Amino acid sequence: MKTPSHPLRWIWQNYLRRSWGIFLVAVAFMAVEGSMLGLMSYMMKPMFDRVFVAGESDAVTVVGLIFLGIFIARAIASMTQKVLLARLSERACAMIRVDLLRHVLGLDGTFFQSFSPGYLMQRIEGDVAALKTTWIGIITGYGRDVIALLALGAVALSIDWQWTLIACIGIPVLVAPTAIVQKFIRKNARAAREMAGRLSNHLNEVLTGISDVKLNTIEEYQTDRYRALNAQNVHVET
């Protein structure tokens, strides 16, 4: 059961494209949420100049209402895009699980002799859940966070473009550690899913054969085996 090399592209081509309208609305609200951060930073200057420096009492109400509107708009946009993405993700994951089960049921008997029911259950349920987390994180990162970064960059350029360009020199230093960590995570992701399958398989064997476990009084032995598997899982995950 091969995991797609590009999960986001694969999900879009096979599932999300069917609901592209809702997806675009969610992206639009992500853009609103991200841009509000830039607008908030832009309003810091008039707040300090007119309220704290000039002491204009009338400006306190105006600036306060603008900030309140920004927070309300950002909260509404954040809630809306999360609801829409959650609905899309659940719908896509449901279709993926059904398609996976249909594919597995169409395989020959040799396949089922090589993989236990617990392992297959983990791959169908656990892998899809991991895939959902991955694509939501990627979409949120490219949608909200990138737009927020661009909005903040635009505000910084409008204030002092020379210092902003100098500050951009340090961006690779900030991005490099994240890229290295992500590469490490991707490298260990398959091993982690395999380990999760082994854990599920062990639980399935123990709980299915609980009568034999009780009859042979090997509860502690099975617990020790499960503890060892969990220790391996922690090592793989970290």
Side-chain angles (χ1 to χ4, degrees):
M1 300 176 67
K2 185 179 180 181
T3 303
S5 57
H6 301 284
L8 182 59
R9 185 189 308 169
W10 180 76
I11 292 177
W12 170 258
Q13 291 175 345
N14 293 278
Y15 300 99
L16 291 183
R17 191 165 56 183
R18 307 177 191 180
S19 304
W20 64 271
I22 299 177
F23 177 77
L24 290 180
V25 173
V27 171
F29 277 103
M30 273 190 284
V32 172
E33 182 184 0
S35 62
M36 287 298 105
L37 191 60
L39 181 58
M40 190 184 307
S41 64
Y42 181 77
M43 290 302 302
M44 297 298 291
K45 186 177 185 301
M47 181 182 70
F48 278 97
D49 291 345
R50 298 183 60 183
V51 177
F52 295 107
V53 178
E56 299 179 18
S57 57
D58 295 339
V60 176
T61 303
V62 176
V63 173
L65 290 175
I66 292 176
F67 269 98
L68 178 61
I70 292 174
F71 280 112
I72 292 175
R74 194 166 191 266
I76 293 174
S78 176
M79 180 184 65
T80 304
Q81 62 95 0
K82 287 178 180 177
V83 170
L84 292 175
L85 282 180
R87 181 177 298 178
L88 279 175
S89 64
E90 290 301 329
R91 184 183 301 175
C93 286
M95 291 187 290
I96 293 172
R97 292 189 187 101
V98 172
D99 288 347
L100 280 175
L101 181 60
R102 181 184 296 113
H103 173 73
V104 169
L105 293 178
L107 299 174
D108 55 25
T110 306
F111 176 82
F112 293 97
Q113 293 175 0
S114 303
F115 298 98
S116 67
Y119 178 85
L120 295 177
M121 289 172 60
Q122 177 62 34
R123 298 309 298 265
I124 293 174
E125 293 291 335
D127 283 14
V128 173
L131 198 60
K132 179 177 69 173
T133 303
T134 299
W135 81 262
I136 287 181
I138 293 175
I139 290 176
T140 302
Y142 279 108
R144 181 195 62 196
D145 297 342
V146 169
I147 292 173
L149 182 61
L150 291 175
L152 290 173
V155 173
L157 286 172
S158 67
I159 296 174
D160 193 327
W161 66 271
Q162 293 175 324
W163 279 108
T164 301
L165 293 179
I166 294 174
C168 288
I169 298 175
I171 291 180
V173 179
L174 298 175
V175 174
T178 303
I180 294 173
V181 171
Q182 288 180 345
K183 184 177 180 180
F184 175 78
I185 292 175
R186 286 195 299 267
K187 182 179 179 181
N188 290 333
R190 185 173 182 84
R193 301 312 311 158
E194 293 289 342
M195 196 65 234
R198 292 177 61 187
L199 284 169
S200 295
N201 181 46
H202 179 72
L203 283 177
N204 179 70
E205 290 178 351
V206 172
L207 297 178
T208 302
I210 190 64
S211 299
D212 294 334
V213 172
K214 290 291 186 181
L215 181 63
N216 296 283
T217 62
I218 54 173
E219 295 91 344
E220 194 62 32
Y221 168 74
Q222 294 293 359
T223 302
D224 289 340
R225 283 187 60 196
Y226 190 63
R227 183 183 295 111
L229 288 173
N230 271 284
Q232 295 178 32
N233 183 57
V234 171
H235 178 72
V236 170
E237 293 283 358
T238 56

